[in-house]
Amino acid sequence: MTQATVQSEQSMTTAKADSQTAGLAPTAKNARDLPKEVLLKWLRDMQLIREFENRTMQAYQQAKIGGFCHIYTGQEAVAVGTIGCVNSDDPVITAYRDHGHALARGMTPEACMAEMFGKITGCAKGKGGSMHMFDRPNWLFGGHGIVSAQTPMGAGFAFATKYEHEVLGKTLEGGEAKKKVTLCYMGDGALDQGAFHEAQNIASLWGLPVIYILENNSYSMGTAIDRHTANHENLIDRAKGYGMIGVKIDGLDIMNIYNEFKPIVDQCREESRPAFIDLKTYRYQGHSMSDPQKYRTKDEVDQYKDRDSIAKLVSDLMEMGYLSEDDWKSTQKALRDEVRAAIDAAESAPVPEDDELFTDVYANPEKNLSPTATYSHGTKNPLM
Amino acid sequence: MTTLPMIETDIHPAVDNPELPDFVAEHELPSREGDRVVQFREALREAMSEEMRRDKRVFLLGEEVAEYNGAYKVSQGMLDEFGPERIIDTPISENGFAGMSISAAMMGLRPIVEFMSWSFSFVAADPILNNAPKMLYMSGGQFGCPIVFRGNDGAGGQLASTHSWCVEALYANVPGLKMAIPSNPYDAKGLLKTAILDPDPVFFLESERMLGDKAHVPEEEYYIPFGRARVAREGDAITLVSFGRPVNFCLEAAEKLAEEGIDVEVLDMRTIRPLDIDSIIASVKKTNQILVVDQSWPFASIASEVVTQICERCFDWLDAPPQRLNTEDVPTPYAKGLEYNYLPNPDRIYDAVKSMVNA
């Protein structure tokens, strides 16, 4: 067993305590046939993100969090549903609206919140902040702040896993080589960057197993999709132009996401090829915490809230007899407590020591690298 | 031929090997008369091939590196030896393949990315500046980026403004990266081998104009540590500090000056980050005068940086204001004569030294 899996299983004992412990995605023809605990875990993770983000907004308003902060509420089914379709050692990379992916991937709420509080117990020791969530044990490679910068990188993880398989004959950690799939998330604003087109071309040309998951919330910051990208109703045609699998999926129903997305994951893994998924979703909050949202109406937001993905899953699970009103209330309360504990822990954690400023700049911090700074090795984050 | 230990692929993912193996320093060999003579491009190729034989995580990708055998024949024959999985032709898509290689490095592979010219790296500026050098810091030490970007830097032969970029000043500004800039085939091989082993991103600057240069290069494997300047010529009249191709201009000017009894000391920095400021200071304490010769523009250049550090650290040892000689502060011209005058050529160096030592 590799070091990475040992670590990831340890962290999952605190964060992901059940069906995915073995690290393999659960398999069924239809999500409704999945084990009850898998479905309840989805609900729990989605509500964790909802609760976490609501508290993040409060903390931001109390100036406990600085910088740019992008809230994921409304889109929870996407991160939880798609990550629920891959194995725990499949690489994941996303853009700056990344708290949901970090939590869905298994990062502890404490490490995620402490990062935003700029504390040493944050996932990146307070050096990355809201937009840069990294979690090596859980195979989360960021959190990237530049729109679409993550899309060529997504191809690169797929390249590396293919290289492990085909050239090294084992994983870089020395384990048995296996076929992996990389998930690369992007917002609809990233559609318009050249980097994404270069990434698709290379991914398809070289048969790289990467899935580009477009979290299509219809806005590139404040510019509506019909004003920022051409032929926006037919985005999957672009993928087909590159010879990639292209599928449009309703992203507000997690069971639907699983049903349509899981076969694509299996196909990309097996056939070593890329895909592009246009996942229609919606964000309830503004682009960032400083967005007055003049570009959309309250009615529009309310219409989507009527189709809330968590409410939908709750009602499905109740109908299936997997969840009672009382269960749901106690789950919500437990998650409120969990997030409150994360806030408390983040609040009471120490800030980085002053000399942390000069660590982790170089892995090999030789002499004379800087006229003013003396670099040294950083300490390992105990939470990661 | 010395045999160095094989590198086991299971011992070091990206950041678990913060120190270079001990054999780097031990295997630095002096270039000796009597060694075989090879071209700069062959020296680069040997460095890559030797490291690729030792470590399967190392691969080369870039435009025309495989079937074309390299736009400048640096990678000639490597496809035959290592196959298309490790010598990889890319589309003309720098942003795409540079970004892709960075994440492969985060996972623990060791990519060598060839830019046909550093002039073409600007379309990949975001990945190479925003991701590679910052990944370790931004991830709180979780993900390193052991990658080499290499290619031709500086004026080629009448390539005019868009193809003649010197990126050293622009890129060396960014903490988190290392930068090597060899002036001769011996250094090219030893520095590139060190660059490939180094766990940090290394920007490796070659010159199209030097690829055919020949020098004695030993058959034994050797490495040149970063941050150690080479005294290319000893003298006591003035210290000339340079790096990359202009080192050779300095040596040419030095010959002519020597005929007039002016013995200049020429320091070849070899790497810019780290910068061996200690060797510069030692030389300045001997000569008490310094001229920095730099093939990039003067404003906020490496020459500016060296002069600043000298003023900060050994001002009292200077008999005259420190000087810099850069390319002229204009876009690179096409016409042959204009291009020559634009560069920090031997004639300009000669004149600059004369005016300093006669002052």
Side-chain angles (χ1 to χ4, degrees):
Chain A
M1 187 181 287
T2 67
Q3 199 182 1
T5 15
V6 173
Q7 284 172 340
S8 80
E9 288 190 3
Q10 279 167 351
S11 62
M12 278 190 294
T13 54
T14 52
K16 306 185 87 176
D18 40 46
S19 59
Q20 283 203 25
T21 307
L24 293 176
T27 302
K29 272 234 158 66
N30 190 302
R32 286 176 172 264
D33 302 328
L34 287 169
K36 174 183 167 185
E37 54 274 22
V38 170
L39 300 177
L40 289 173
K41 178 69 168 37
W42 287 354
L43 178 62
R44 183 197 168 281
D45 284 355
M46 287 165 70
Q47 182 63 22
L48 171 66
I49 295 169
R50 177 77 48 98
E51 186 66 31
F52 183 92
E53 291 293 62
N54 287 337
R55 298 285 291 182
T56 297
M57 284 191 283
Q58 282 178 6
Y60 192 91
Q61 280 149 357
Q62 294 163 354
K64 289 175 180 169
I65 296 173
F68 291 146
C69 188
H70 308 84
I71 299 298
Y72 198 66
T73 49
Q75 303 183 198
E76 294 91 343
V78 178
V80 175
T82 52
I83 285 171
C85 291
V86 297
N87 302 335
S88 63
D89 58 358
D90 285 324
V92 173
I93 183 169
T94 184
Y96 43 78
R97 195 179 306 284
D98 58 352
H99 317 156
H101 308 85
L103 295 173
R105 198 58 184 163
M107 185 184 289
T108 61
E110 181 186 344
C112 194
M113 191 62 80
E115 184 58 32
M116 292 192 274
F117 276 53
K119 299 299 181 74
I120 192 72
T121 51
C123 64
K125 299 195 291 187
K127 292 179 174 181
S130 164
M131 299 191 285
H132 307 109
M133 296 293 172
F134 289 84
D135 186 344
R136 186 170 171 171
N138 283 313
W139 292 80
L140 176 69
F141 292 82
H144 292 271
I146 303 295
V147 170
S148 209
Q150 79 279 16
T151 57
M153 296 179 73
F157 299 121
F159 174 89
T161 60
K162 191 176 157 98
Y163 191 96
E164 282 179 325
H165 197 253
E166 294 179 358
V167 178
L168 301 181
K170 56 182 170 180
T171 67
L172 283 154
E173 292 78 22
E176 193 184 335
K178 52 183 167 178
K179 292 181 173 178
K180 292 186 179 179
V181 175
T182 296
L183 300 187
C184 179
Y185 295 85
M186 55 189 283
D188 45 294
L191 287 167
D192 310 327
Q193 284 277 22
F196 180 47
H197 294 269
E198 296 192 25
Q200 288 178 98
N201 182 50
I202 289 175
S204 186
L205 189 66
W206 295 350
L208 304 179
V210 55
I211 304 180
Y212 291 102
I213 299 170
L214 171 64
E215 299 196 58
N216 188 346
N217 62 25
S218 298
Y219 291 97
S220 165
M221 198 166 163
T223 304
I225 193 161
D226 59 350
R227 295 199 300 124
H228 79 70
T229 207
N231 195 18
H232 67 95
E233 299 284 2
N234 300 300
L235 295 172
I236 58 174
D237 288 358
R238 298 185 188 181
K240 289 173 181 166
Y242 285 111
M244 294 165 61
I245 299 164
V247 178
K248 196 169 182 173
I249 299 177
D250 174 10
L252 294 177
D253 176 350
I254 193 167
M255 300 240 207
N256 179 63
I257 291 174
Y258 179 88
N259 292 343
E260 300 207 29
F261 188 69
K262 182 67 166 56
I264 296 165
V265 170
D266 295 343
Q267 187 184 359
C268 291
R269 189 190 305 278
E270 203 43 51
E271 297 175 9
S272 190
R273 58 181 297 198
F276 168 79
I277 311 301
D278 178 2
L279 250 156
K280 185 75 195 87
T281 185
Y282 199 77
R283 67 168 146 78
Y284 292 165
Q285 298 301 317
H287 164 72
S288 71
M289 287 299 294
S290 51
D291 176 2
Q293 304 181 61
K294 296 263 167 66
Y295 49 84
R296 65 181 184 183
T297 62
K298 192 169 174 305
D299 275 357
E300 179 183 298
V301 180
D302 287 343
Q303 275 175 32
Y304 278 99
K305 284 188 174 172
D306 287 345
R307 294 185 56 211
D308 182 68
S309 59
I310 294 178
K312 168 81 170 103
L313 182 58
V314 167
S315 108
D316 285 350
L317 293 177
M318 284 181 178
E319 175 217 314
M320 290 162 76
Y322 285 178
L323 186 73
S324 69
E325 286 286 354
D326 285 347
D327 293 341
W328 178 222
K329 276 186 188 142
S330 65
T331 300
Q332 286 175 289
K333 179 174 183 319
L335 291 168
R336 263 198 303 278
D337 292 345
E338 187 178 336
V339 173
R340 191 169 295 127
I343 295 252
D344 291 345
E347 203 137 31
S348 59
V351 295
E353 300 281 345
D354 287 350
D355 58 9
E356 273 293 338
L357 188 59
F358 300 105
T359 69
D360 307 319
V361 182
Y362 290 94
N364 174 26
E366 302 167 273
K367 200 179 155 201
N368 286 331
L369 279 164
S370 162
T372 55
T374 304
Y375 304 116
S376 60
H377 291 298
T379 50
K380 198 168 153 48
N381 181 340
L383 284 186
M384 302 313 293
Chain B
M1 193 164 166
T2 319
T3 310
L4 298 176
M6 285 295 289
I7 292 177
E8 286 298 321
T9 55
D10 38 333
I11 56 171
H12 30 179
V15 291
D16 290 345
N17 57 335
E19 304 292 348
L20 290 178
D22 291 339
F23 58 78
V24 170
E26 287 169 17
H27 286 264
E28 187 184 1
L29 298 175
S31 176
R32 297 164 305 203
E33 297 296 323
D35 281 327
R36 75 220 157 103
V37 171
V38 304
Q39 285 188 354
F40 200 112
R41 58 164 59 82
E42 295 170 299
L44 294 169
R45 184 190 313 148
E46 285 186 1
M48 292 190 286
S49 298
E50 286 172 11
E51 294 309 316
M52 285 184 65
R53 282 176 207 130
R54 175 168 307 113
D55 185 350
K56 280 173 95 175
R57 297 172 307 169
V58 183
F59 62 95
L60 170 69
L61 89 175
E63 292 151 8
E64 311 296 356
V65 298
E67 296 201 5
Y68 197 95
N69 270 311
Y72 294 96
K73 302 291 172 250
V74 171
S75 55
Q76 190 160 39
M78 290 178 72
L79 174 64
D80 288 343
E81 178 174 355
F82 298 105
E85 295 82 14
R86 297 179 69 199
I87 305 294
I88 303 164
D89 277 327
T90 65
I92 301 177
S93 187
E94 284 85 359
N95 193 346
F97 68 72
M100 198 211 83
S101 302
I102 286 164
S103 48
M106 283 172 77
M107 278 195 66
L109 294 179
R110 298 289 181 129
I112 304 169
V113 178
E114 178 174 309
F115 290 126
M116 197 183 294
S117 161
W118 277 99
S119 296
F120 309 156
S121 70
F122 298 121
V123 292
D126 181 61
I128 68 175
L129 299 182
N130 232 346
N131 290 337
K134 300 175 181 172
M135 199 56 71
L136 186 67
Y137 199 79
M138 232 171 34
S139 66
Q142 294 184 73
F143 295 106
C145 192
I147 192 168
V148 177
F149 298 105
R150 46 160 290 269
N152 293 310
D153 176 71
Q158 292 186 267
L159 300 180
S161 175
T162 58
H163 281 52
S164 300
W165 270 91
C166 288
V167 298
E168 42 269 50
L170 283 176
Y171 290 170
N173 190 241
V174 182
L177 59 80
K178 296 178 179 177
M179 183 177 284
I181 177 164
S183 70
N184 62 78
Y186 176 84
D187 284 3
K189 180 171 176 180
L191 289 170
L192 184 53
K193 283 171 69 71
T194 303
I196 295 167
L197 287 190
D198 197 278
D200 292 306
V202 179
F203 287 39
F204 198 89
L205 278 47
E206 301 152 14
S207 161
E208 184 208 318
R209 302 300 289 173
M210 293 196 299
L211 290 175
D213 288 2
K214 291 177 180 168
H216 294 283
V217 174
E219 298 222 25
E220 292 93 337
E221 287 197 51
Y222 63 96
Y223 295 82
I224 298 175
F226 283 2
R228 277 194 227 164
R230 174 180 71 103
V231 180
R233 182 189 178 102
E234 287 193 51
D236 53 17
I238 182 172
T239 300
L240 296 192
V241 169
S242 195
F243 35 87
R245 187 181 172 211
V247 170
N248 301 298
F249 301 160
C250 291
L251 291 171
E252 202 178 321
E255 289 292 323
K256 197 172 157 193
L257 289 159
E259 288 167 14
E260 299 175 25
I262 302 169
D263 280 323
V264 303
E265 181 142 297
V266 179
L267 284 189
D268 180 349
M269 299 317 297
R270 290 173 157 170
T271 59
I272 286 170
R273 258 187 195 256
L275 182 74
D276 183 5
I277 192 69
D278 305 329
S279 291
I280 304 177
I281 291 169
S283 180
V284 166
K285 286 183 176 174
K286 183 169 75 168
T287 66
N288 312 111
Q289 288 217 76
I290 180 170
L291 172 69
V292 187
V293 180
D294 177 352
Q295 63 173 343
S296 54
W297 290 309
F299 198 100
S301 63
I302 306 300
S304 321
E305 176 59 35
V306 171
V307 167
T308 302
Q309 290 195 40
I310 287 303
C311 289
E312 286 169 343
R313 298 176 63 167
C314 60
F315 187 79
D316 291 343
W317 290 84
L318 293 168
D319 286 347
Q323 304 269 324
R324 59 185 160 167
L325 180 65
N326 290 77
T327 49
E328 296 292 1
D329 206 7
V330 296
T332 318
Y334 163 75
K336 201 168 188 172
L338 289 180
E339 188 189 62
Y340 182 78
N341 293 340
Y342 159 87
L343 290 168
N345 60 53
D347 297 325
R348 288 180 63 207
I349 296 168
Y350 172 87
D351 291 344
V353 171
K354 288 280 277 189
S355 72
M356 286 178 78
V357 296
N358 290 338

